[in-house]
């Protein structure tokens, strides 16, 4: 995959960009051009950068400055790490470059802004959507912000996918090349579109997660059509899978079965302890000859109505797919997807939310056609479609993201956090990363963990 990633960088350089973005792309670190992108005060900040496959590091770099009329500069008060960040760490997402600042989930306080920003004031508490939307294109007018047509001018993605996603914070040049929020400051282009004010009754330890995990989980559940009386199976007991379980019950699901195993099996116990109605399936404990599919059909006649993929395509189980991934013959394994297809009832629904970036082999297309399986790519979640409703659910208590919050760490230990999160160590589920600008921990949230 590292070869594929660097190859994509060379191809993009050779063929150029589409040139139709309304905001400058490929500004992944102010020190790429300190005079152009760095704050004239000379102030420095701590930031987490990609330094090559399986290598991230904390660096000191320049504070970003306003470079466009609708830019907002945030003092970051909270960020986190996501399973999607591990795909960057592993080099599974193409077009990473050394020095790119990572992090697509963050909240903060407005530090400064360009003259074209409307509706915001210095000092406002806000959360950023992980995608960067223009607010005016065909998709943005429908609040489908993750598919904005005018913030990502990457031509390789356009060729691979037949279209482009929106630009995204801290998520490679493949999605526009924007510096992320695992830093003490962040520049938010088109800030009056891509920031949501947080009310006083929603602390950062809840509001932060509107940026991605809550919207992504809700989109997975709603887009796949979970409804009253459904039996839902969820592959992956990480934060997305955990919130999908809670949200499936909110949508009226009769049963929810969460599947995980290996060095992440402890997450099944965590999910069960927070949501006792959940049933769990540890695939590493299955006896010889028993598969996830056969066990699910034992648990529910015909299998579940709905299968939700909350893991990812980079984690191969079998030797064949491991070899194909290593040789670049595929970018994603089809193993989990095939397991879901064979597990659900005929005419069941399969929703794909875990990251899949390119091509896969051995996909069971025959079962999809013959059994009438509804195979749904949930897409990058359109945060703007959901975040106001989800904010109201946080306020009225019908949605509680604190069930996934396990740790609080300081940003200067973010590189260590990546290693531990990748190893599924220390029972790390969802983490709140504080900076020097953060408020004290909200009542009932974890205290500070340090590995120093």
């Amino acid at each position: 995959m590292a070869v594929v990633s660097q190859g994509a960088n060379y191809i993009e350089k050779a063929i150029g960009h589409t040139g139709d973005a309304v905001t400058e792309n490929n500004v992944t670190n102010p020190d790429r051009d300190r005079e152009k992108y760095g704050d004239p005060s000379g102030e420095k900040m701590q930031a987490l950068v990609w330094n090559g496959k399986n290598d991230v590091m904390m660096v000191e770099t320049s504070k970003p400055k306003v470079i466009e009329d609708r830019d907002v500069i945030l003092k970051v008060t909270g960020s986190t790490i996501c399973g999607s960040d591990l795909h960057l760490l592993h080099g599974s997402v193409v077009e990473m470059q050394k020095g790119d600042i990572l992090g697509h989930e963050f909240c903060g306080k407005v530090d400064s802004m360009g003259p074209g920003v409307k509706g915001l004031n210095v000092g406002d508490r806000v959360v950023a959507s992980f995608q960067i939307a223009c607010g005016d294109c065909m998709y943005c007018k429908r609040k489908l912000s993750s598919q904005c047509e005018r913030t990502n001018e990457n031509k390789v993605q356009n060729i691979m996918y037949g279209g482009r996603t929106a630009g995204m914070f801290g998520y490679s040049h493949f999605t526009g090349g924007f510096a992320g929020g695992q830093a003490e400051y962040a520049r938010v282009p088109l800030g009056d579109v891509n920031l949501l004010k947080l009310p006083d009754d929603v602390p950062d330890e809840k509001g932060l997660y509107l940026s991605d995990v809550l919207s992504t989980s809700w989109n997975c559940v709603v887009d796949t059509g979970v409804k009253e009386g459904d039996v839902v199976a969820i592959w992956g007991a990480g934060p997305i899978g955990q919130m999908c379980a809670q949200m499936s019950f909110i949508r009226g699901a009769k049963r929810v079965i969460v599947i995980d195993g290996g060095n992440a099996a402890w997450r099944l116990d965590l999910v069960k302890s927070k949501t006792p109605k959940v049933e769990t399936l540890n695939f590493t404990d299955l006896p010889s000859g028993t598969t996830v599919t056969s066990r699910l059909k034992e648990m529910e006649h015909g299998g579940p109505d709905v299968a939700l993929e909350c893991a990812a395509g980079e984690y191969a189980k079998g030797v064949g797919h491991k070899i194909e991934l290593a040789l670049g013959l595929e970018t994603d394994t089809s193993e989990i997807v095939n397991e879901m297809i064979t597990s659900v009832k005929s005419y069941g629904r399969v929703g794909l939310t875990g990251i899949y970036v390119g091509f896969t082999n051995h996909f069971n297309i025959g079962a999809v056609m013959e059994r009438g399986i509804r195979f749904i790519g949930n897409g990058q979640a359109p945060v703007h479609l959901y975040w106001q409703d989800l904010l109201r659910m946080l306020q009225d208590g019908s949605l509680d993201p604190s069930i996934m919050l396990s740790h609080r760490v300081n940003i200067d230990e973010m590189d260590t956090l990546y290693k531990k999160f990748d190893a599924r160590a220390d029972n790390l589920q969802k983490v709140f990363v504080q900076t020097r600008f953060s408020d004290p921990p909200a009542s009932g949230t974890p205290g500070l963990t340090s590995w120093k």
Side-chain angles (χ1 to χ4, degrees):
M1 274 304 300
V3 174
V4 173
S5 180
Q6 292 311 306
N9 275 318
Y10 293 133
I11 292 169
E12 183 71 23
K13 186 175 181 179
I15 65 178
H17 309 307
T18 59
D20 54 358
V22 296
T23 184
E24 186 168 353
N25 281 211
N26 301 301
V27 187
T28 56
N29 188 324
D31 278 355
R32 298 282 191 208
D33 187 334
R34 192 173 303 170
E35 184 174 343
K36 184 175 181 181
Y37 303 124
D39 192 87
S41 69
E43 183 177 351
K44 300 294 185 179
M45 67 174 184
Q46 292 188 85
L48 187 285
V49 302
W50 191 80
N51 195 44
K53 184 177 179 180
N54 295 320
D55 186 10
V56 295
M57 61 187 296
M58 292 301 303
V59 300
E60 182 180 82
T61 189
S62 298
K63 171 186 174 181
K65 72 176 182 181
V66 169
I67 63 173
E68 295 171 341
D69 281 353
R70 292 171 67 189
D71 280 354
V72 173
I73 305 299
L74 290 188
K75 292 178 177 176
V76 176
T77 58
S79 66
T80 187
I81 186 171
C82 173
S84 298
D85 291 317
L86 297 182
H87 310 320
L88 302 176
L89 175 68
H90 301 153
S92 299
V93 176
V94 298
E95 293 196 55
M96 292 298 299
Q97 296 178 16
K98 286 187 176 183
D100 290 350
I101 297 175
L102 304 186
H104 57 276
E105 298 177 86
F106 58 97
C107 62
K109 295 176 183 176
V110 175
D111 180 65
S112 62
M113 54 190 173
V117 176
K118 298 177 181 178
L120 292 173
N121 296 296
V122 171
D124 283 347
R125 292 178 58 239
V126 292
V127 59
S129 62
F130 75 85
Q131 60 236 206
I132 300 162
C134 73
D136 295 318
C137 72
M138 172 179 71
Y139 292 110
C140 286
K141 287 177 180 178
R142 297 160 58 195
K143 298 292 185 183
L144 301 177
S145 49
S146 61
Q147 306 302 320
C148 175
E149 298 175 295
R150 304 201 299 162
T151 57
N152 177 12
E153 60 182 21
N154 186 278
K155 192 176 286 187
V156 169
Q157 189 184 125
N158 204 56
I159 293 169
M160 281 182 64
Y161 294 168
R164 287 161 290 163
T165 65
M168 296 179 192
F169 289 106
Y171 216 74
S172 90
H173 297 259
F174 192 62
T175 61
F178 295 90
Q182 290 170 354
E184 293 181 305
Y185 288 96
R187 181 180 74 91
V188 180
L190 304 164
D192 44 7
V193 174
N194 297 299
L195 294 169
L196 179 69
K197 288 184 182 180
L198 292 175
D200 291 341
D201 60 347
V202 176
D204 285 354
E205 290 88 345
K206 290 186 177 181
L208 164 63
Y209 302 112
L210 293 167
S211 186
D212 177 5
V213 58
L214 295 180
S215 298
T216 294
S217 302
W218 189 249
N219 181 63
C220 178
V221 169
V222 171
D223 190 55
T224 314
V226 174
K227 64 182 187 301
E228 188 79 28
D230 275 342
V231 176
V232 179
I234 299 171
W235 273 253
I240 298 289
Q242 183 177 14
M243 294 313 301
C244 280
Q246 185 186 94
M247 291 170 173
S248 292
F249 284 126
I250 290 173
R251 296 277 294 180
K254 178 174 65 176
R255 298 175 67 190
V256 174
I257 305 164
V258 180
I259 302 145
D260 213 321
N263 66 351
W266 60 266
R267 301 192 300 193
L268 294 170
D269 294 330
L270 172 67
V271 172
K272 180 74 172 177
S273 71
K274 299 295 185 178
T275 308
K277 291 189 293 183
V278 161
E279 301 167 61
T280 60
L281 196 167
N282 184 342
F283 63 78
T284 50
D285 285 347
L286 294 175
S288 178
T290 301
T291 65
V292 170
T293 293
S294 65
R295 178 54 55 87
L296 285 171
K297 290 182 183 292
E298 290 172 6
M299 296 173 72
E300 172 68 22
H301 180 69
D305 302 287
V306 178
L308 304 178
E309 204 282 356
C310 301
E314 69 161 296
Y315 301 112
K317 294 180 181 179
V319 174
H321 281 282
K322 288 179 180 179
I323 292 172
E324 290 175 350
L325 286 170
L327 295 177
L329 299 176
E330 65 178 358
T331 60
D332 306 277
T333 175
S334 58
E335 290 162 293
I336 291 177
V337 172
N338 286 340
E339 208 167 68
M340 297 164 70
I341 290 167
T342 56
S343 294
V344 293
K345 291 181 174 71
S346 294
Y347 299 103
R349 303 179 301 284
V350 171
L352 204 64
T353 281
I355 294 292
Y356 287 73
V357 296
F359 302 94
T360 189
N361 298 325
H362 318 294
F363 175 66
N364 194 349
I365 194 169
V368 173
M369 182 271 155
E370 297 289 351
R371 297 182 57 233
I373 308 301
R374 272 50 180 166
F375 190 81
I376 301 162
N378 300 128
Q380 295 285 357
V383 173
H384 297 190
L385 182 64
Y386 302 120
W387 63 352
Q388 290 178 327
D389 289 339
L390 291 170
L391 176 59
R392 284 189 284 270
M393 293 170 72
L394 294 181
Q395 289 180 289
D396 67 23
S398 58
L399 180 63
D400 181 14
S402 68
I403 64 171
M404 65 177 173
L405 183 56
S406 61
H407 292 73
R408 183 186 187 100
V409 303
N410 202 57
I411 192 168
D412 65 355
E413 296 191 64
M414 193 100 205
D415 49 356
T416 301
L417 173 61
Y418 263 77
K419 294 173 185 175
K420 288 185 172 289
F421 193 70
D422 188 29
R424 307 291 192 267
D426 294 5
N427 288 1
L428 288 160
Q429 181 73 335
K430 198 65 176 174
V431 181
F432 184 90
V433 178
Q434 68 177 26
T435 73
R436 58 190 159 115
F437 303 121
S438 301
D439 293 328
S443 177
T445 64
L448 188 66
T449 294
S450 177
W451 296 290
K452 289 183 178 180

